[in-house]
Amino acid sequence: PDFFGVFRERFIEPKLQRTLAVFDRAVARSEIGADADLERLSMILPAMCLHDVLLAGRTIGRDEIIAMIDTVVLPACRASLASPDASTS
């Protein structure tokens, strides 16, 4: 098997499954819209972290992760609760 396939299976997939479980519980509590794209939401934070580390050369710590969640992930989750008509008024 190729390295990426094994890496994805053993490292990435378990983390994505845990993240999806968190988002599923948030949907059940009506904190995220029922029709939200949970797979896309679950990829936002890892994508931002990888971007900062690999492309920008930054070190990611707890404070940076909290800021990403507060300024990007949570607003994206809340946006899924907005009615389609709310954006046109």
Side-chain angles (χ1 to χ4, degrees), residues 22-42:
V22 169
F23 284 129
D24 284 334
R25 290 191 301 271
V27 169
R29 293 188 305 265
S30 299
E31 294 172 348
I32 297 177
D35 60 343
D37 185 344
L38 299 183
E39 286 196 26
R40 188 172 309 261
L41 285 172
S42 71

Side-chain angles (χ1 to χ4, degrees), residues 44-67:
I44 293 172
L45 184 60
M48 290 177 63
C49 289
L50 283 174
H51 176 274
D52 278 7
V53 169
L54 297 177
L55 300 177
R58 295 185 187 117
T59 301
I60 301 297
R62 184 177 189 276
D63 291 341
E64 290 81 15
I65 291 173
I66 289 170

